[in-house]
Amino acid sequence: MTVFAPVIGALWRTIESYGIDPCSVIDENVYRPGSDLPMDGRISPKDYDKVQIKALALVNDPAFGLREAKYLHPSHLGALGHAWMASSSLKEAIHRLIRFGAMVNERINLVASEVDGLLKVETHLEQGDEVRDMRADEHLACLLALCRLNFGQSLLPAIVRMQRKPPPDPTSWHEYFGVKVQFNQPENCIAFRLQDA
């Protein structure tokens, strides 16, 4: 399994936003903006995880995954980012992401379903993931960020559910998603009204 190297661009910018030099966190053999490294290349999930774990330890911010979504740009996703932006609806874009998500990260496991007038997208995470809560935050927040690029910043999900325990102060979660996030749930999912999708 591999991860598309340019996706680290969002992580790079997130680390910078905390006033930390990303070069101190990300090995030069993994990623450097503007370098001669093959930026269309692949890196191991282990290298990607190391960067996230090290960054999370340095910033000590429980909302790190939410913040990372603010710095995600479609160009970090390569051809899939362009396909996302060219989609005629959120529903089409989400189905493209599910179908071709392995282009960006072969570990991503998204499932969409239509229930009660909603388009629900679940993210299934690996058991034993050291930063499982942060990764759930990141996946759902990044999906919403991409959807808002197409739809507009006014897009509000109908539901956001997370398996994680509530953070000590859930305000950042409620503010970012624009709805009250439900914690201690059996799934990690975000749902949009079909009329919006």
Side-chain angles (χ1 to χ4, degrees), residues 83-101:
W84 177 279
M85 294 304 293
S87 299
S88 60
S89 68
L90 294 183
K91 184 176 177 179
E92 181 182 332
I94 287 167
H95 284 290
R96 282 181 173 168
L97 179 62
I98 290 168
R99 184 173 177 195
F100 300 110

Side-chain angles (χ1 to χ4, degrees), residues 33-110:
S35 74
D36 292 334
L37 291 173
M39 288 298 120
D40 59 343
R42 315 285 300 179
I43 59 172
S44 74
K46 187 176 178 182
D47 285 338
Y48 186 74
D49 291 351
K50 275 187 202 175
V51 172
Q52 282 194 313
I53 291 165
K54 189 173 181 182
L56 196 56
L58 276 174
V59 301
N60 194 26
D61 179 5
F64 183 86
L66 302 181
R67 189 163 177 158
E68 190 174 346
K70 294 177 184 177
Y71 294 98
L72 179 67
H73 188 270
S75 64
H76 296 135
L77 308 179
L80 181 56
H82 296 290
W84 177 279
M85 294 304 293
S87 299
S88 60
S89 68
L90 294 183
K91 184 176 177 179
E92 181 182 332
I94 287 167
H95 284 290
R96 282 181 173 168
L97 179 62
I98 290 168
R99 184 173 177 195
F100 300 110
M103 291 172 59
V104 175
N105 185 335
E106 291 180 301
R107 291 183 305 177
I108 288 184
N109 182 4
L110 299 173

Side-chain angles (χ1 to χ4, degrees), residues 72-74 84-85 90 144-153:
L72 179 67
H73 188 270
W84 177 279
M85 294 304 293
L90 294 183
L144 180 58
L146 288 169
C147 287
R148 284 176 171 163
L149 282 174
N150 281 35
F151 184 94
Q153 292 303 308

Side-chain angles (χ1 to χ4, degrees), residues 20-21 26 38 47 54 70 92 118 177 181 185 195:
I20 297 169
D21 180 5
I26 303 172
D47 285 338
K54 189 173 181 182
K70 294 177 184 177
E92 181 182 332
L118 301 176
F177 289 103
V181 176
Q185 297 297 307
Q195 63 195 31

